[in-house]
Structures are given as structure tokens and as C-alpha cells.
């Protein structure tokens, strides 16, 4: 690897995109060997409406997920506990922690920026399909609760009669 002394600009256009069997897509943008990264990588994930990623873990590296847009649930740990991040929130995934991402909307996509301690971006992923039935048992309730939260929100300022 060559040493560089300036920033490396990598637009997502033309980057390495992989469409997964579950319908989600991950795009490696900052990763070795595209840049001389030694300990980090970054990319984005697109999860279409109604989709859930295959449960996975990164056996030796950490990950940080930043929710850019959409409504999602992150199921993580051995009990697949749900976290409900909002756009702008960040989620830390420790090494060897099972997790998956549920798009709570049936229509709108979820867009997530992913930062990993794996310089190759996709080289430290272990899929855990045996957890899929446990995930599926939670999805309907998570989506139902999400719809209830949306429908119970106030829609704006209510005018009072004079």
C-alpha cells in the first residue's frame, strides 16, 4: 500500500455495490484496496420498504450504523433486543454481536451509513440464517407498534375556535 498525504475523495457513484438475497444493498465506498485504509471502512446500506436484513455478526470487528433516513429497528444481541433509532442516531455494534435491521415501513426505504473496523468492508461478515425465524416472529409486532406510534402523533397546531 502506498502512503498518501492528502484526503481521498470517493463518491458513491461507481462504488462496489452488492445486492443481498434479502433485498438490501450495501455499497462499499471507503475500503481497502480502493483507498489505503488500514483499520476502517465506510459505506452505505439501502433497505427497501418491507425488508429485513439477514441476521449477521462481525466476529472480530466493530461497526457503527448512522441512520440517515427512514424508520428502522435494530435487533441485536443473543436475545435480539430492539432499538428504535431515529434519523441522525448512531448505533454501536460490538464485535461478535448478532444483529439485523428491520425496515418498519412497508413503502419507504431506510438509508444507513455504515462504519466498520474491517478495512475490506465486507470481509468480516458472518451470516446467521438460523436466527431468521426469531427475527420474523418480532417483525409484525414491531411494524404494528410503529404504525400505532405514527397514527397517534399530533399532526400539527390545532386551531381553537374564537
Amino acid at each position: 500500500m502506498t502512503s498518501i498525504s492528502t484526503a481521498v475523495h470517493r463518491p458513491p457513484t461507481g462504488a462496489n455495490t452488492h445486492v443481498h438475497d434479502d433485498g438490501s444493498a450495501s455499497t462499499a465506498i471507503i475500503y481497502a484496496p480502493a483507498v489505503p485504509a488500514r483499520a476502517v471502512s465506510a459505506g452505505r446500506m439501502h433497505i427497501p420498504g418491507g425488508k429485513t436484513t439477514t441476521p449477521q455478526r462481525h466476529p472480530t470487528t466493530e461497526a457503527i450504523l448512522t441512520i440517515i433516513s427512514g424508520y428502522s429497528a435494530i435487533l441485536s444481541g443473543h436475545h435480539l433486543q430492539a432499538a428504535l433509532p431515529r434519523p441522525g442516531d448512531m448505533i454501536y455494534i460490538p464485535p461478535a454481536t448478532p444483529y439485523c435491521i428491520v425496515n418498519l415501513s412497508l413503502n419507504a426505504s431506510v438509508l444507513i451509513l455504515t462504519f466498520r473496523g474491517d478495512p475490506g468492508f465486507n470481509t468480516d461478515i458472518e451470516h446467521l440464517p438460523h436466527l431468521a425465524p426469531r427475527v420474523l416472529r418480532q417483525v409484525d409486532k414491531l411494524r404494528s407498534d410503529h404504525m400505532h406510534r405514527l397514527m397517534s402523533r399530533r399532526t400539527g397546531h390545532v386551531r381553537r375556535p374564537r
Side-chain angles (χ1 to χ4, degrees):
M1 231 182 288
T2 2
S3 176
I4 60 167
S5 60
T6 61
V8 177
H9 174 209
R10 293 265 311 159
T13 307
N16 181 15
T17 297
H18 177 73
V19 178
H20 304 280
D21 292 339
D22 57 30
S24 66
S26 59
T27 303
I29 300 170
I30 301 291
Y31 65 100
V35 301
R38 292 179 299 200
V40 298
S41 62
R44 64 181 180 190
M45 292 181 67
H46 172 258
I47 304 165
K51 298 292 184 178
T52 299
T53 64
T54 302
Q56 62 181 296
R57 68 184 188 139
H58 308 281
T60 60
T61 59
E62 305 163 298
I64 296 173
L65 309 176
T66 304
I67 309 303
I68 299 301
S69 64
Y71 295 99
S72 62
I74 311 298
L75 303 178
S76 68
H78 296 291
H79 299 292
L80 295 173
Q81 291 180 280
L84 301 171
R86 299 185 340 188
D89 290 354
M90 299 179 100
I91 297 92
Y92 169 73
I93 309 289
T97 301
Y99 75 98
C100 74
I101 304 163
V102 178
N103 185 337
L104 297 176
S105 171
L106 295 177
N107 303 315
S109 294
V110 169
L111 184 60
I112 298 174
L113 291 181
T114 306
F115 304 91
R116 297 187 183 149
D118 165 20
F121 192 71
N122 285 323
T123 58
D124 186 31
I125 295 177
E126 179 184 343
H127 291 283
L128 307 168
H130 67 279
L131 293 178
R134 288 178 46 202
V135 168
L136 290 176
R137 285 194 292 268
Q138 294 184 54
V139 169
D140 286 341
K141 177 148 179 34
L142 287 166
R143 286 192 177 127
S144 173
D145 291 350
H146 169 68
M147 284 303 296
H148 179 72
R149 280 190 302 276
L150 285 178
M151 299 308 283
S152 64
R153 283 186 185 168
R154 254 186 150 172
T155 58
H157 180 72
V158 177
R159 284 182 110 172
R160 292 184 183 186
R162 292 185 182 203

